[in-house]
Amino acid sequence: MNKLKLIVYSLLVMTATSVIAGEISIDEDYMQVMEDRQKSLSSNISLKKVNAALNDAKSLEESFNDVETFYVHKGKEDAVNWSKESRELAVSIQKYVASNDFDTASQTSVALAKTCKTCHRSYKKDT
Ligand code: HEC
Protein backbone atom coordinates (compact mmCIF):
# COMPACT_ATOMS: atom_id res chain seq x y z
CA MET A 1 0.00 0.00 0.00
CA ASN A 2 1.44 3.40 -0.90
CA LYS A 3 1.49 6.27 1.55
CA LEU A 4 -1.48 8.18 0.17
CA LYS A 5 -3.68 5.11 0.15
CA LEU A 6 -2.67 4.41 3.72
CA ILE A 7 -3.63 7.92 4.83
CA VAL A 8 -6.97 7.76 3.06
CA TYR A 9 -7.62 4.36 4.59
CA SER A 10 -6.76 5.54 8.10
CA LEU A 11 -9.07 8.52 7.74
CA LEU A 12 -11.91 6.25 6.65
CA VAL A 13 -11.37 3.95 9.61
CA MET A 14 -11.27 6.89 12.01
CA THR A 15 -14.49 8.35 10.63
CA ALA A 16 -16.22 4.99 10.78
CA THR A 17 -15.29 4.36 14.43
CA SER A 18 -16.31 7.82 15.58
CA VAL A 19 -19.69 7.32 13.94
CA ILE A 20 -20.15 4.01 15.75
CA ALA A 21 -19.13 5.48 19.12
CA GLY A 22 -21.51 8.39 18.59
CA GLU A 23 -24.45 6.19 17.71
CA ILE A 24 -25.59 5.68 21.25
CA SER A 25 -26.31 8.86 23.07
CA ILE A 26 -28.42 8.74 26.18
CA ASP A 27 -29.97 12.16 26.41
CA GLU A 28 -33.30 13.73 27.30
CA ASP A 29 -34.97 12.66 24.06
CA TYR A 30 -33.88 9.08 24.50
CA MET A 31 -35.13 9.05 28.09
CA GLN A 32 -38.42 10.62 27.08
CA VAL A 33 -39.06 7.65 24.79
CA MET A 34 -38.27 5.29 27.68
CA GLU A 35 -40.63 7.21 29.94
CA ASP A 36 -43.44 6.87 27.38
CA ARG A 37 -42.76 3.14 27.05
CA GLN A 38 -42.71 2.70 30.80
CA LYS A 39 -46.10 4.44 31.17
CA SER A 40 -47.55 2.51 28.29
CA LEU A 41 -46.25 -0.74 29.82
CA SER A 42 -47.89 -0.21 33.19
CA SER A 43 -51.20 0.74 31.61
CA ASN A 44 -51.09 -2.23 29.24
CA ILE A 45 -50.34 -4.56 32.16
CA SER A 46 -53.32 -3.25 34.10
CA LEU A 47 -55.51 -3.59 31.00
CA LYS A 48 -54.10 -7.10 30.50
CA LYS A 49 -53.17 -6.33 26.91
CA VAL A 50 -50.66 -9.11 26.38
CA ASN A 51 -49.17 -8.18 23.01
CA ALA A 52 -48.95 -4.46 23.68
CA ALA A 53 -47.34 -5.04 27.08
CA LEU A 54 -44.87 -7.51 25.53
CA ASN A 55 -43.91 -4.92 22.90
CA ASP A 56 -43.35 -2.24 25.52
CA ALA A 57 -41.26 -4.50 27.76
CA LYS A 58 -39.23 -5.70 24.78
CA SER A 59 -38.55 -2.14 23.70
CA LEU A 60 -37.45 -1.20 27.23
CA GLU A 61 -35.20 -4.25 27.31
CA GLU A 62 -33.49 -3.01 24.13
CA SER A 63 -33.23 0.55 25.42
CA PHE A 64 -31.54 -0.61 28.60
CA ASN A 65 -29.08 -2.51 26.46
CA ASP A 66 -28.09 0.81 24.88
CA VAL A 67 -28.04 2.58 28.23
CA GLU A 68 -25.75 -0.14 29.55
CA THR A 69 -23.38 0.14 26.57
CA PHE A 70 -23.34 3.91 26.98
CA TYR A 71 -22.24 3.67 30.61
CA VAL A 72 -19.79 0.85 29.91
CA HIS A 73 -18.03 3.31 27.55
CA LYS A 74 -18.12 5.94 30.24
CA GLY A 75 -16.79 3.53 32.84
CA LYS A 76 -19.62 4.21 35.31
CA GLU A 77 -20.00 0.90 37.06
CA ASP A 78 -23.01 1.73 39.24
CA ALA A 79 -24.97 3.04 36.24
CA VAL A 80 -24.02 -0.11 34.29
CA ASN A 81 -25.44 -2.22 37.13
CA TRP A 82 -28.71 -0.27 37.28
CA SER A 83 -29.07 -0.63 33.52
CA LYS A 84 -28.52 -4.39 33.81
CA GLU A 85 -30.96 -4.66 36.68
CA SER A 86 -33.56 -2.70 34.71
CA ARG A 87 -33.05 -4.86 31.64
CA GLU A 88 -33.49 -8.04 33.69
CA LEU A 89 -36.71 -6.65 35.16
CA ALA A 90 -37.95 -5.89 31.64
CA VAL A 91 -37.16 -9.49 30.66
CA SER A 92 -39.00 -10.85 33.73
CA ILE A 93 -42.03 -8.71 32.93
CA GLN A 94 -42.20 -10.33 29.48
CA LYS A 95 -42.21 -13.78 31.12
CA TYR A 96 -44.97 -12.88 33.59
CA VAL A 97 -47.10 -11.24 30.93
CA ALA A 98 -46.66 -14.20 28.60
CA SER A 99 -47.87 -16.54 31.35
CA ASN A 100 -50.82 -14.23 32.21
CA ASP A 101 -49.41 -13.45 35.65
CA PHE A 102 -50.40 -9.79 35.58
CA ASP A 103 -50.08 -9.27 39.34
CA THR A 104 -46.41 -10.17 39.38
CA ALA A 105 -45.87 -8.31 36.11
CA SER A 106 -47.35 -5.22 37.72
CA GLN A 107 -45.16 -5.54 40.85
CA THR A 108 -42.09 -5.97 38.65
CA SER A 109 -43.05 -2.90 36.66
CA VAL A 110 -43.15 -0.90 39.91
CA ALA A 111 -39.69 -2.26 40.78
CA LEU A 112 -38.50 -1.16 37.34
CA ALA A 113 -39.76 2.37 37.93
CA LYS A 114 -37.70 2.39 41.14
CA THR A 115 -34.47 1.57 39.33
CA CYS A 116 -35.17 4.49 36.95
CA LYS A 117 -35.27 6.75 40.00
CA THR A 118 -32.18 5.24 41.60
CA CYS A 119 -30.09 6.04 38.55
CA HIS A 120 -31.61 9.51 38.23
CA ARG A 121 -30.66 10.33 41.81
CA SER A 122 -27.00 9.90 40.92
CA TYR A 123 -26.84 10.82 37.25
CA LYS A 124 -29.61 13.21 36.37
CA LYS A 125 -28.44 16.71 37.18
CA ASP A 126 -31.69 18.38 38.17
CA THR A 127 -33.03 15.83 40.67
C1 HEC B 1 -28.54 4.02 34.19
C2 HEC B 1 -29.11 5.30 34.44
C3 HEC B 1 -30.54 5.60 34.09
C4 HEC B 1 -31.62 4.73 34.13
C5 HEC B 1 -31.66 3.27 34.55
C6 HEC B 1 -32.77 5.50 33.71
N1 HEC B 1 -32.40 6.78 33.43
FE1 HEC B 1 -33.66 8.32 32.87
N2 HEC B 1 -32.11 9.61 32.86
C7 HEC B 1 -30.78 9.28 33.08
C8 HEC B 1 -29.96 10.46 32.89
C9 HEC B 1 -28.45 10.51 33.00
C10 HEC B 1 -30.83 11.52 32.53
C11 HEC B 1 -30.47 12.97 32.19
C12 HEC B 1 -30.27 13.03 30.68
C13 HEC B 1 -29.88 14.39 30.21
O1 HEC B 1 -30.30 15.39 30.81
O2 HEC B 1 -29.16 14.44 29.19
C14 HEC B 1 -32.17 10.95 32.54
C15 HEC B 1 -33.33 11.67 32.24
C16 HEC B 1 -34.61 11.16 32.20
C17 HEC B 1 -35.80 11.91 31.92
C18 HEC B 1 -35.87 13.42 31.73
C19 HEC B 1 -35.91 13.77 30.27
C20 HEC B 1 -36.11 15.24 30.09
O3 HEC B 1 -36.75 15.60 29.10
O4 HEC B 1 -35.64 16.02 30.92
C21 HEC B 1 -36.86 11.06 31.94
C22 HEC B 1 -38.32 11.37 31.69
C23 HEC B 1 -36.31 9.73 32.21
N3 HEC B 1 -34.94 9.83 32.39
C24 HEC B 1 -37.07 8.56 32.29
C25 HEC B 1 -36.56 7.32 32.66
C26 HEC B 1 -37.37 6.13 32.86
C27 HEC B 1 -38.87 6.07 32.70
C28 HEC B 1 -36.51 5.13 33.22
C29 HEC B 1 -36.82 3.68 33.56
C30 HEC B 1 -37.74 2.96 32.73
C31 HEC B 1 -35.17 5.69 33.26
N4 HEC B 1 -35.23 7.02 32.90
C32 HEC B 1 -34.05 4.97 33.61
C33 HEC B 1 -30.29 8.04 33.46
C34 HEC B 1 -31.06 6.88 33.65
Side-chain angles (χ1 to χ4, degrees), residues 26-91:
I26 304 304
D27 56 12
E28 289 173 15
D29 291 343
Y30 195 99
M31 280 286 157
Q32 204 54 59
V33 173
M34 278 173 46
E35 166 108 336
D36 293 345
R37 278 295 189 178
Q38 154 81 34
K39 283 189 183 144
S40 164
L41 175 65
S42 46
S43 91
N44 283 324
I45 290 172
S46 55
L47 297 170
K48 303 193 170 150
K49 289 190 179 173
V50 174
N51 286 335
L54 285 177
N55 276 337
D56 290 335
K58 182 81 195 155
S59 154
L60 282 167
E61 177 193 343
E62 284 159 7
S63 299
F64 283 121
N65 232 348
D66 285 352
V67 177
E68 183 183 337
T69 310
F70 176 76
Y71 283 112
V72 166
H73 284 303
K74 288 202 153 195
K76 306 280 188 197
E77 206 180 315
D78 48 0
V80 170
N81 288 336
W82 290 321
S83 313
K84 269 191 198 144
E85 204 179 307
S86 309
R87 195 188 57 228
E88 281 157 15
L89 291 170
V91 172

Side-chain angles (χ1 to χ4, degrees), residues 10-29:
S10 316
L11 280 175
L12 281 177
V13 170
M14 273 161 53
T15 322
T17 41
S18 70
V19 167
I20 290 164
E23 240 174 47
I24 303 166
S25 156
I26 304 304
D27 56 12
E28 289 173 15
D29 291 343

Side-chain angles (χ1 to χ4, degrees), residues 93 96 101-109:
I93 291 171
Y96 297 131
D101 183 355
F102 294 100
D103 286 342
T104 317
S106 166
Q107 283 159 19
T108 314
S109 163

